[in-house]
């Protein structure tokens, strides 16, 4: 038996929605894509959304819309997936890495500030593992912010959804994300001109302005699935929070750092991270089962690129372990995970 690190929740509703699209014969850029764009924008609380083929495509188009190009600098964290680095390189800009905050693993505003130069054209702020970054402080730096909400759909900062603060925000609906369309993404925002530009860049067909365009469109099947998933988002988030509460209670007595959530925000626990000196051991044990523990980030981006000193990023990479947590996880599986983890962590101090 192996409990996977992640697993999508796909039910009859998604199967019916996609089947209906297939029967209709209208498989690209139709009413489902438009409805999904509207539904995500309404959920986030912004004026519009442009659906894309992936989160990476959404990042790429956002940088293009903000006129980020050759020689420009874009500040990003290194404790994140390489989609950010790839997007910045696609537009021939230079990724500048900033460190993260120890407590939240989100980009550290003070370190971002130190790394701003005349060439800084944008900051990409991923709301990591389901928790908002320090978005107000980051926007106050005066550089356009792209919020990366690939892991934070539905999470809230000071009463407002993540994705409603930045110049633009991006989402991913990849198989393992908060909601899933297989592959898929979106750019959302309030600035109609930027959204129009992104809509134009997304599709190359019948364009005669001499500019380069892309094919980053979403299909009707994906959008129909996305609409069905979005309806389930409240129950997905409730399940995630209930599991996180259970984990935190069960692990409270153990010598590990548990996820924290500052008072002014809500955590959706896209990932449940613990910090421990035994991270390596636990991840190794996970290869044999019964629970697939993972490093929350494959490899910090600065380990391959440049030589920025990022002590908190390195510490998180050494100490953080992601424990399986997703809506499709049963109570019995959660019990197996907790027993296994408690065994790996040893008896808590003060207990015989
Ligand atoms: C998954 C992810 C992306 C990329 O999304 P894809 O749809 O896989 O291209 C970007 N940023 C973050 C923070 C992610 O977790």
């Amino acid at each position: 038996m192996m409990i996977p690190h992640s697993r999508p929740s796909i039910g009859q509703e998604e199967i019916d929605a996609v089947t209906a699209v297939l029967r209709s014969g209208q498989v690209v850029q139709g009413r489902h894509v438009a409805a999904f764009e509207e539904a995500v924008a309404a959920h986030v609380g912004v004026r519009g959304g442009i659906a894309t083929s992936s989160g990476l495509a959404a990042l790429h188009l956002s940088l293009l819309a903000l006129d980020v190009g050759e020689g420009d600098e874009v500040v990003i964290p290194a404790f994140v997936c390489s989609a950010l680095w790839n997007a910045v390189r696609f537009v021939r800009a230079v990724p500048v890495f900033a460190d993260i905050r120890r407590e939240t693993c989100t980009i550290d505003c003070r370190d971002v500030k130190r790394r701003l130069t005349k060439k800084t054209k944008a900051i990409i702020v991923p709301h990591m593992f389901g928790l908002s970054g320090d978005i107000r402080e980051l926007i106050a730096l005066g550089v356009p912010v792209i919020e990366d909400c690939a892991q934070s759909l539905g999470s809230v900062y000071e009463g407002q959804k993540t994705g409603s603060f930045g110049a633009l925000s991006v989402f991913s609906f990849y198989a393992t994300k908060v909601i899933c369309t297989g592959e898929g993404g979106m750019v959302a925002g309030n600035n109609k001109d930027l959204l129009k530009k992104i809509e134009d860049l997304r599709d190359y067909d019948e364009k005669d302005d001499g500019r380069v365009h892309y094919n980053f469109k979403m299909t009707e099947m994906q959008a129909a699935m996305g609409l069905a998933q979005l309806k389930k988002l409240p129950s997905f988030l409730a399940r995630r929070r209930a599991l996180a509460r259970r984990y935190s209670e069960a692990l409270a007595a153990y010598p590990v750092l548990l996820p924290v959530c500052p008072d002014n925000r809500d955590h959706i626990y896209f990932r449940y991270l613990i910090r421990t000196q035994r991270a390596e051991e636990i991840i190794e044990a996970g290869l044999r089962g019964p629970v697939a523990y993972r490093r929350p980030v494959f490899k910090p981006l600065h380990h391959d690129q440049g030589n920025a000193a990022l002590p908190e990023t390195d510490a998180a990479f050494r100490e953080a372990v992601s424990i399986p947590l997703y809506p499709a996880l049963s109570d019995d599986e959660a019990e197996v995970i907790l027993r296994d983890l408690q065994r790996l962590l040893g008896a808590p101090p003060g207990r015989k």
Side-chain angles (χ1 to χ4, degrees), residues 34-44 186 227 230:
F36 186 45
E37 290 173 338
E38 243 174 66
V40 171
H43 171 84
V44 175
M186 197 172 297
L227 283 164
L230 197 57

Side-chain angles (χ1 to χ4, degrees), residues 100-106 108 110 131 134 257-262 267 273 275 312:
I100 53 173
R101 281 184 52 190
R102 183 172 183 76
E103 315 77 55
T104 58
C105 284
T106 55
D108 182 343
R110 286 164 311 168
L131 179 66
D134 304 321
L257 282 178
L258 300 177
V260 296
C261 179
H267 206 317
L273 265 58
R275 298 271 296 248
E312 290 301 341

Side-chain angles (χ1 to χ4, degrees), residues 54-56 59 80-81 83-84 126 148 150-151 172 174 177 184:
S54 71
L56 175 53
L59 277 171
V80 70
C81 72
L84 279 72
D148 182 339
Q151 308 189 348
S172 167
Y174 177 65
K177 302 291 163 119

Side-chain angles (χ1 to χ4, degrees), residues 79 100 102 105 275 296 311-321:
F79 197 61
I100 53 173
R102 183 172 183 76
C105 284
R275 298 271 296 248
E312 290 301 341
T313 299
D314 291 334
F317 183 60
R318 275 194 312 273
E319 298 168 7
V321 182

